[in-house]
Amino acid sequence: MKPYLIATLATCLSIVVASCKTGNNSKAKDNAEQQVTVPEFNADSAYNHIQAQMDFGPRTPNSPAHVNCGEYLANKLAEYGAGVVSQYAELLAFNGTLLKARNIIGSYNSELKKRILLFAHWDTRPWSDNDPDEKNHRRPVPGANDGASGVGVLLEIARLISQQDPAMGIDIIFFDAEDYGASRFFNGNYKEEYWCLGSQYWAHNPHVEGYNARFGILLDMVGGKNAVFYREGYSEEYARSINKKVWRKAKELGYTAFFKDEKGPMVTDDHLFVNKIARIPSIDIVPNVINAEGSSFGDTWHTVNDDMSGIDKNTLKAVGQTVLAVIYNEK
Ligand code: AHN
Ligand code: ZN
């Protein structure tokens, strides 16, 4: 055989070997990409984030505790590596009160177009008007579950994101003035727009011009004992595939006792306005007690008993781990 022919054959052979290797490598890489590791949600840490908010006292809008807790939450997101923006607005409540409101937004991977929005309300209700004792109706709700729990779970998620980068951009919003809806002793007409003032403001004035996200998840009252989460009604209407995704993941992780794969009632909550006004398909993870008397948010809802004794780490874990698995598996 002529020397140049041998050389040509050898070259061809090495190219075949090389491309063969490349083939194997890219297959191995594909497999590796499918198996993301999801961080371990720490329910003790989430619980401590709830306690820290409770230590300020009720976070009633226009109170010093509200101002101080808002500052604390913005600093906490910054400590966990988020880019933080605060939106300040004076929002008009149903009774004519001007609320000095602050939406607190923490962003990760801000340069990415592919984003997930996670949100919860951080204010607490000025009136415990669902308390069995009428004498308590004008006292503020402590807001361990109704307020602090969603924020506590999201702060724990922020802490974990700071340690391990997900493939998606993530925005965490703590909405203000969600729970200032008309009280039982208000004599006017009921309007659902009296609730969720902070999220309505943000939906009309997003923190980034033209802001969009693939989907949104609202966490509301996600720390109660024996909480059961049904696929909420508006979420089914606006973001059915996201409900499916979340309830499927919860089942995979063994949390079917908390996540019941059945349709639940419609709840006027921050996600409604994120859906209707900002047009980001969003779901609400919110508990319901459904029995012969109808449906409710449980015994402590809008009562003076919504305190730390009603918080269960098992519920925090089920919700936190499910949401983490959803966001880390998205690409
Ligand atoms: C209504 O009661 C109309 N919506 C429940 C929204 C809410 C209040 N979430 C927490 N507190
Ligand atoms: Zn409430």
Side-chain angles (χ1 to χ4, degrees):
M1 211 182 271
K2 298 214 166 109
Y4 72 87
L5 231 175
I6 294 172
T8 311
L9 274 175
T11 309
C12 286
L13 205 65
S14 65
I15 287 168
V16 169
V17 170
S19 62
C20 213
K21 268 191 190 151
T22 316
N24 282 339
N25 274 351
S26 67
K27 252 190 208 139
K29 211 170 136 213
D30 282 350
N31 286 336
E33 273 171 4
Q34 278 160 15
Q35 312 223 299
V36 288
T37 53
V38 178
E40 196 49 34
F41 186 88
N42 185 331
D44 295 310
S45 174
Y47 184 92
N48 292 338
H49 291 316
I50 297 170
Q51 182 71 65
Q53 295 169 77
M54 291 297 284
D55 289 345
F56 286 96
R59 282 79 66 211
T60 312
N62 294 351
S63 72
H66 178 268
V67 171
N68 295 337
C69 184
E71 197 56 21
Y72 171 82
L73 294 175
N75 289 335
K76 211 68 196 162
L77 284 173
E79 181 192 317
Y80 293 146
V84 179
V85 172
S86 288
Q87 269 190 333
Y88 296 91
E90 296 209 325
L91 303 174
L92 185 61
F94 72 94
N95 59 1
T97 308
L98 265 189
L99 307 178
K100 291 190 187 306
R102 179 177 186 177
N103 290 331
I104 303 160
I105 303 143
S107 298
Y108 294 93
N109 295 335
S110 334
E111 72 288 353
L112 292 185
K113 250 185 84 88
K114 47 181 195 180
R115 314 197 64 73
I116 298 172
L117 174 60
L118 305 175
F119 50 111
H121 77 92
W122 72 274
D123 63 304
T124 55
R125 184 162 178 77
W127 314 283
S128 298
D129 54 353
N130 196 47
D131 199 280
D133 184 348
E134 207 182 316
K135 287 197 290 298
N136 290 329
H137 282 194
R138 285 166 199 274
R139 292 173 59 195
V141 175
N145 198 28
D146 192 357
S149 70
V151 171
V153 167
L154 292 182
L155 278 178
E156 171 59 4
I157 288 176
R159 189 183 71 80
L160 294 166
I161 292 175
S162 75
Q163 295 177 357
Q164 186 191 322
D165 204 19
M168 301 288 292
I170 307 285
D171 302 286
I172 293 175
I173 306 187
F174 300 148
F175 285 123
D176 203 351
E178 185 274 343
D179 227 347
Y180 220 95
S183 66
R184 236 179 227 223
F185 30 89
F186 173 64
N187 282 322
N189 288 330
Y190 176 88
K191 286 195 186 136
E192 62 182 8
E193 288 81 9
Y194 290 151
W195 302 91
C196 309
L197 300 179
S199 57
Q200 291 186 65
Y201 178 83
W202 176 84
H204 285 296
N205 312 279
H207 63 293
V208 169
E209 209 185 281
Y211 177 83
N212 206 352
R214 194 176 286 174
F215 59 85
I217 302 178
L218 165 59
L219 307 185
D220 192 10
M221 304 182 271
V222 291
K225 287 199 170 84
N226 305 315
V228 181
F229 305 102
Y230 298 86
R231 291 183 281 107
E232 186 274 332
Y234 288 118
S235 312
E236 284 286 287
E237 205 173 280
Y238 287 100
R240 201 162 141 66
S241 67
I242 310 308
N243 260 354
K244 274 194 175 165
K245 190 197 287 278
V246 170
W247 264 255
R248 185 194 300 132
K249 187 56 76 182
K251 186 176 180 186
E252 250 175 66
L253 296 172
Y255 296 128
T256 51
F258 296 97
F259 286 82
K260 230 181 171 41
D261 199 2
E262 290 170 24
K263 200 176 160 185
M266 293 170 137
V267 180
T268 303
D269 212 339
D270 289 320
H271 72 310
L272 177 60
F273 301 98
V274 174
N275 275 305
K276 277 216 273 202
I277 303 168
R279 300 188 171 278
I280 297 167
S282 299
I283 67 156
D284 190 4
I285 301 179
V286 63
N288 274 107
V289 177
I290 300 175
N291 54 29
E293 283 119 72
S295 102
S296 76
F297 299 118
D299 292 343
T300 65
W301 184 66
H302 292 182
T303 75
V304 297
N305 300 316
D306 180 7
D307 57 25
M308 290 307 286
S309 67
I311 298 296
D312 188 330
K313 290 177 185 174
N314 295 304
T315 309
L316 298 172
K317 174 71 178 176
V319 172
Q321 195 64 59
T322 299
V323 172
L324 267 182
V326 166
I327 67 177
Y328 276 85
N329 277 292
E330 199 77 15
K331 45 180 177 278

